[in-house]
Amino acid sequence: MAWRIVCTGRGGVGKSTFVALISRYLKPPSLLIDLDPDLSLADMLGFDFHREGKRTVCEALYEVVEKRKSGESSPLITTQDMMESLLWSECLYEDGSFDLITLGTKLTEGCLCFPDELLRKTIPKLANNYANIVVDSPAGVEHLNRNIVPVINDLFVICDPSEKSIKHILRIKKIMKEVGTEYNHFYLVANQEFDEEAEEYLKNSGEIYLGKIEYDANVEEYNLKGESLLGLPVDSPALVSVKKILAKAGYQIKQK
């Protein structure tokens, strides 16, 4: 059964960067699930879904809805079954040590409830095929209300040095308690904007503080050029700090 890792936090704190960086050190194979509509994780990993003939979950859902409207699909096959088939065949990007599924931008009317529910039901089935399932959450807490991953082993909350971020930690715990999300570990991680004084607040918060993702000019340069963060040198400050964070959380680090 896969170890379930969820990364969450406010918008712009560096969740996708953190997920991309830890993917280098996790025991393979891992499945990365990007719930952020802007496809930032795929970009950071250098994945081009369309070039590889893959689609986002929302793109696949749009096709299913259009087929339903035109009468092309059999009424005996449910939308759920059609989507599960497409999820395996056309939405799963396979890349050796880890695979990727991206929710994508909503192309149909209504909210993201159905694609979120699809992933909620499918994740347990996928869990048997991977050592880790890593979820890159969208900004905010709405995805937590939907309880997409009801059982979490490690929850990493990426923080920025602001009062809103601190309040966000409390909201996360409150919502998870209300919807019944279970978790083994609740970890705080500081982003690059923290100074030593701000870090002290997280250290004294009563939660488990793992450390800070160090500022790394390489990360900015790679993102600007559209290069994969998987190509960062091993002595890159962000990579070194993330490696320490994982080690502090008890992970066996894959050397790379």
Side-chain angles (χ1 to χ4, degrees):
M1 181 63 68
W3 195 256
R4 302 182 190 194
I5 302 164
V6 174
C7 179
T8 191
R10 295 195 328 119
V13 296
K15 298 183 296 296
S16 297
T17 299
F18 182 74
V19 170
L21 295 179
I22 68 172
S23 69
R24 287 184 52 155
Y25 295 116
L26 295 175
K27 177 184 176 182
S30 294
L31 173 64
L32 312 183
I33 301 177
D34 186 4
L35 297 182
D36 198 329
D38 66 4
L39 307 182
S40 56
L41 181 58
D43 291 339
M44 289 180 179
L45 294 169
F47 292 174
D48 188 322
F49 270 73
H50 299 138
R51 186 178 61 203
E52 299 295 333
K54 297 298 180 180
R55 288 182 288 178
T56 68
V57 174
C58 285
E59 287 172 340
L61 176 59
Y62 179 77
E63 177 188 319
V64 169
V65 170
E66 291 302 301
K67 285 185 176 181
R68 287 289 196 198
K69 288 180 179 179
S70 65
E72 293 180 46
S73 62
S74 169
L76 299 178
I77 303 176
T78 66
T79 299
Q80 177 79 26
D81 289 338
M82 292 176 68
M83 280 300 299
E84 284 199 18
S85 176
L86 288 175
L87 194 68
W88 288 97
S89 62
E90 299 190 26
C91 298
L92 183 65
Y93 185 103
E94 299 174 278
D95 188 63
S97 60
F98 58 82
D99 299 340
L100 175 66
I101 289 176
T102 296
L103 182 65
T105 304
K106 180 169 63 70
L107 300 174
T108 58
E109 293 183 2
C111 66
L112 288 167
C113 297
F114 182 80
D116 283 346
E117 181 63 16
L118 171 69
L119 288 174
R120 186 179 189 275
K121 291 180 177 179
T122 306
I123 286 174
K125 299 176 184 178
L126 294 168
N128 294 322
N129 301 321
Y130 297 93
N132 306 286
I133 290 181
V134 188
V135 177
D136 180 13
S137 301
V141 294
E142 185 178 356
H143 64 286
L144 295 173
N145 279 311
R146 294 185 187 135
N147 207 14
I148 300 171
V149 188
V151 179
I152 301 170
N153 296 108
D154 290 343
L155 178 68
F156 291 90
V157 182
I158 312 303
C159 306
D160 66 277
S162 68
E163 182 181 2
K164 289 183 178 179
S165 189
I166 301 305
K167 289 181 178 179
H168 190 73
I169 297 170
L170 300 176
R171 282 198 293 270
I172 290 171
K173 298 202 78 170
K174 181 175 183 292
I175 289 172
M176 293 179 72
K177 182 178 181 180
E178 289 175 347
V179 301
T181 302
E182 300 176 14
Y183 59 87
N184 298 114
H185 303 108
F186 189 97
Y187 294 132
L188 302 184
V189 175
N191 73 359
Q192 64 184 36
E193 299 173 4
F194 274 77
D195 56 22
E196 290 185 6
E197 182 180 353
E199 270 194 278
E200 284 300 316
Y201 188 91
L202 293 185
K203 291 177 181 178
N204 298 319
S205 66
E207 306 296 344
I208 301 175
Y209 175 62
L210 295 179
K212 171 183 172 181
I213 306 169
E214 296 293 341
Y215 169 75
D216 194 333
N218 289 320
V219 172
E220 289 188 351
E221 181 182 354
Y222 277 49
N223 283 334
L224 284 172
K225 292 181 177 179
E227 297 180 8
S228 171
L229 296 185
L230 300 176
L232 286 170
V234 293
D235 60 350
S236 194
L239 270 180
V240 172
S241 60
V242 163
K243 186 177 181 180
K244 291 178 180 178
I245 287 169
L246 287 178
K248 192 171 181 180
Y251 284 76
Q252 291 186 340
I253 304 299
K254 179 184 71 173
Q255 299 302 319
K256 190 171 183 179

